[in-house]
Amino acid sequence: MRRFTLWALALLLVLPAWAQPTAAPLAGRFQRELLRQAHLQWGLDAPVAALAAQIHQESGWDAAAVSRAGARGLAQFMPATARWWCAREGVADSDCLPHNPAWALRAMVGYDKFLFDRTPGYMDRFDRLWLMLRGYNGGEAHWRAEAQATGLKLPTRGQIDAACGRARRAALHCRENLAYARRILLVLQPRYASWGASWGPVWQPAQQQVRQVRP
């Protein structure tokens, strides 16, 4: 069990019952399917707690949720994103159903894995999850452009975050995009620690961190 998971469980033990962070009331009905999809597409050490926290953030586990922008279902897929993902996965239009909980969980878990696999392999998996979530919320191309804007060959996640608004993304959108990853991983993820693996940050001595080299 990872250090972050142990920390989260220890916190639950010392908090009084009324103060313990809990999963959303509707979450339980979808737990089994989320676990099934997470383990199927990510493996047995899937970041289940983060994936559950993401659903919590997106829709509050309301399968009928519709945002003002038109995002739909548990995972709040925009219609264009849903169509693109279905076409990529070979899913017929008639079966592309963001309001269907099974479709939404399968699609979000798969799309997350797609985004995660495209994050920098030199980073630890917590930082890669962070960038994955930023990509899900605001578009992968934006954080990639911000990474390039750092002028570094191997920028850290913190340096990429600090470059938000210096490339294609308008600076006024940075607060929301950064807060999305922060809330899911640092605030909501501990609520779902009992569901499965929690991928926490890895603290490294400065001399062990990746040395930054300008191209």
Side-chain angles (χ1 to χ4, degrees), residues 7 40 52 95 97-98 109 114 183 209 213:
W7 171 84
L40 180 66
D95 296 322
L97 306 170
V109 170
F114 169 81
R183 176 167 167 77
Q209 294 177 358
V213 179

Side-chain angles (χ1 to χ4, degrees), residues 21 42 45 129 207:
W42 286 71
D45 195 31
L129 271 186
Q207 64 270 23

